[in-house]
Amino acid sequence: MMASTTTDWLDEGRIADTLARSSTVDSGQIQAILTKARELKGLAIDEVAALLALEQPDLLAAVFETARWVKNEIYGRRIVMFAPLYYSNSCCNECVYCAFRRSNRELARKTLSQAQIARETAALIDQGHKRLLLIAGESVTDAGFQHLLDAIATVYSVKRGSGEIRRVNVNVAPLSVEEFRALKAAGIGTYQLFQETYHRKTYAEVHIAGRKSDFDWRLNAIDRAMEAGIDDVGIGPLLGLADWRFDLLAMMQHIAHLEERFGVGCHTISVPRMEPALGSTMSEAPPHHVTDADFKKIVAVLRLAVPYTGIIMSTRETAEMRRDTFSLGVSQVSGGSRTDPGGYADAADAAGAAAAAAAADDAGQFQVGDHRSLDDVVRDIAEVGFTPSFCTACYRMGRTGRDFMDLAKPGLIREMCGPNALSTFVEYLEDYASPATVEAGERAIRRELDAMDPKIRHYSEIMIAKVRDGKRDVFR
Ligand code: SAM
Ligand code: SF4
């Protein structure tokens, strides 16, 4: 097996050549790429570059139409819901775009104790969440890793009636192979790490101090995670830092490397656009701002490039942008998010609500913009024609990494994900939703059942009946 320190797969020269050639591709070649995309086997890097370079409205419309077809073919109308749980905003690094960076004196620092993490988890369970993403700054001390392991155990231990968190994902700084092994043993779902930018020079300019300034340690972190047996990994660029075409092609090289080395690429890709962050001038005016039009193109091209990889989007975007990107490719979205440690429990406590709003501004990582509750987000998703899903079945059934892909590729997964989405959505509607959301949700469920193959519909209805009858955590 190759040494985990190798980062030779990242080839800036090749990316530059591919980008230079990408705009010379004619419309006949674009049509051929789109025909290939409909085979659901993904695209090569030069094909991705050709689609990303497109500006002609008619060809772009064809890309969007193909992406909508692929999205519907594989995922149907399901959108998986999750919430981030920030448990510490202390950090030893100096990322110039982030409010958590060490030198930022404007930020109120907080590291939640296990009791506070339990309180935060309870607040999220009471909203109806089943899937959390634990997030923190990079710890200044070695105690930070044990704190993370304890946090995972704490989250899984909290029960609120039949409510519980069934999948914990993690987005923390790069770890050693040994630490990744311990993380896997703690029962995490996905390990997520954004390279921010694959462009070495830009990376050095924006990560000016701390462990994160080591580009290679971050670049091969996903290799170490996979070596340690974590086979669901999430990656992504921070959009706005560098030329996004470069970063997307570099990310394709990263995926190709993982496929070659481990037989499976990443489980999810995130597409965060840089948001304004307290005390960060760069975040107010990102050096390579991604326009709405380019953002949609990015989502659509990724959907064609890696059809079975989940695409995650924050709720920062407008309702219109969400509607467009859900149909173009996004498969997971956060709801009711806060980026300030302790923010959920404070907001749930009526007396603390005003203080919580202020804390979001002086302890949060970046401005969330969308402060709506999970209930509002779920209703909106149902009303714009999609089906919110709270499913966590695959990870709990061991359908991860390559096993997931082997199952997903022939389309079998659809037979499980569709019914699981409906049974978990009904569970949400029964236990947590407001009357308006129940109404919108029931309409979405009827629409979904009507569109199902009769056999799948039959066992979906059996699963839904069990949930309506009081059984919880019904999945296949
Ligand atoms: N500290 C760890 C790290 O940097 O990898 C993990 C947590 S960090 C809070 C998670 C991610 O937040 C970063 O990888 C970065 O992409 C994103 N982020 C930082 N500042 C941001 C901003 N101003 N807008 C949007 N995302 C930001
Ligand atoms: Fe710290 Fe992560 Fe923010 Fe950088 S992005 S300052 S490492 S929390």
Side-chain angles (χ1 to χ4, degrees), residues 96-97 202 205-206 240-241 274-277 279-287:
V96 298
Y97 47 82
T202 307
E205 286 162 3
V206 297
L241 268 184
M274 195 186 296
E275 308 292 352
S280 160
T281 320
M282 172 185 268
S283 69
E284 302 284 341

Side-chain angles (χ1 to χ4, degrees), residues 90-95 97-102 136-138 173 196 207 212 218 365:
S90 285
C91 188
C92 64
N93 292 311
E94 278 296 333
C95 310
Y97 47 82
C98 180
F100 292 179
R101 70 191 182 285
R102 187 177 52 192
E138 183 158 5
E196 322 297 13
H207 301 106
K212 191 164 168 180
R218 195 166 183 93
Q365 191 196 6

